């Protein structure tokens, strides 16, 4: 599975592209730009992880009296890639902020202004974290309690979405 996100963005870009006699809207241009950024990011590496880090905050529970607030948007963050890390190998606060990680740091990368990053990695399993004020953040766990697990396979680029939502209400 190379990338559902990549395919979806390319499809949206194709659907939303300029048509003869019709101007491209701002949101269509943004979709095309994002699809291009994903494609360029993936082209930059042959094996590893490519991702977009997104921020979501505020009320995400729609109701007639209180519509959802601020939607997801790409953000610039430092992303830390560790060897696969289990919850018993860290100190965790509030369920999502992690310190004292006992596995090895493999890579560190800064996203661009829209949250995109790519990192070349050897085949294996890794855990991803973003740097936040309260510690390293990750809110995804698998059935074995591994923190934000991502697998890189030989000759493949794994595409994921990293959602930072500790200030969102659902």
């Amino acid at each position: 599975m190379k990338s559902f996100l990549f395919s979806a963005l390319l499809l949206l870009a194709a659907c939303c592209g300029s048509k003869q006699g019709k101007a491209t809207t701002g949101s269509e241009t943004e979709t095309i730009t994002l699809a291009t950024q994903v494609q360029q990011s993936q082209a930059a590496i042959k094996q590893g992880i490519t991702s977009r880090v997104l921020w979501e905050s505020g009320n995400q529970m729609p109701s007639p009296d209180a519509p959802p607030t601020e939607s997801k948007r790409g953000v610039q963050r430092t992303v830390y890639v560790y060897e696969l890390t289990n919850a018993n190998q860290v100190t965790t606060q509030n369920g999502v902020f992690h310190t004292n990680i006992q596995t090895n740091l493999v890579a560190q990368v800064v996203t661009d202004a829209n949250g995109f990053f790519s990192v070349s990695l050897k085949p294996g399993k890794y855990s991803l974290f973003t740097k936040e004020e309260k510690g390293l953040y990750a809110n995804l766990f698998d059935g074995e309690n591994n923190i934000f697990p991502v697998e890189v396979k030989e000759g493949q680029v794994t595409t994921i979405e990293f959602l930072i939502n500790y200030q969102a209400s659902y």
Side-chain angles (χ1 to χ4, degrees):
M1 175 178 99
K2 185 126 181 175
S3 163
F4 171 76
L5 175 64
F6 176 69
S7 299
L9 284 173
L10 284 180
L11 180 61
L12 282 171
C15 292
C16 295
S18 294
K19 303 213 176 10
Q20 194 170 16
K22 178 183 178 259
T24 304
T25 67
S27 64
E28 289 171 341
T29 301
E30 182 178 332
T31 300
I32 292 167
T33 301
L34 294 177
T36 301
Q37 285 178 305
V38 169
Q39 186 176 21
Q40 289 171 345
S41 184
Q42 284 184 325
I45 63 171
K46 302 290 185 210
Q47 177 180 290
I49 299 171
T50 188
S51 177
R52 185 164 189 220
V53 176
L54 299 170
W55 173 263
E56 185 171 58
S57 63
N59 177 22
Q60 300 304 311
M61 192 79 153
S63 71
D65 298 331
T69 56
E70 189 177 327
S71 63
K72 297 177 193 174
R73 61 180 171 83
V75 291
Q76 189 169 36
R77 288 289 192 277
T78 301
V79 177
Y80 294 90
V81 181
Y82 279 84
E83 294 172 342
L84 186 63
T85 305
N86 192 275
N88 64 15
Q89 297 174 297
V90 301
T91 301
T92 302
Q93 298 171 355
N94 301 323
V96 294
F97 296 104
H98 311 281
T99 58
N100 302 321
I101 298 172
Q102 298 171 17
T103 56
N104 292 322
L105 178 64
V106 176
Q108 173 180 326
V109 62
V110 177
T111 68
D112 69 13
N114 293 313
F116 289 102
F117 77 88
S118 291
V119 59
S120 292
L121 296 166
K122 294 179 182 179
K125 294 182 179 180
Y126 301 93
S127 290
L128 301 183
F129 301 86
T130 61
K131 175 120 174 97
E132 303 296 320
E133 287 182 20
K134 295 181 181 180
L136 296 183
Y137 175 82
N139 66 345
L140 183 69
F141 298 84
D142 68 10
E144 297 172 3
N145 226 11
N146 294 312
I147 303 169
F148 213 113
V150 180
E151 183 174 8
V152 174
K153 295 182 180 178
E154 184 73 37
Q156 294 184 10
V157 176
T158 304
T159 301
I160 59 144
E161 179 181 279
F162 193 110
L163 180 62
I164 304 171
N165 62 356
Y166 60 89
Q167 290 189 353
S169 301
Y170 297 95

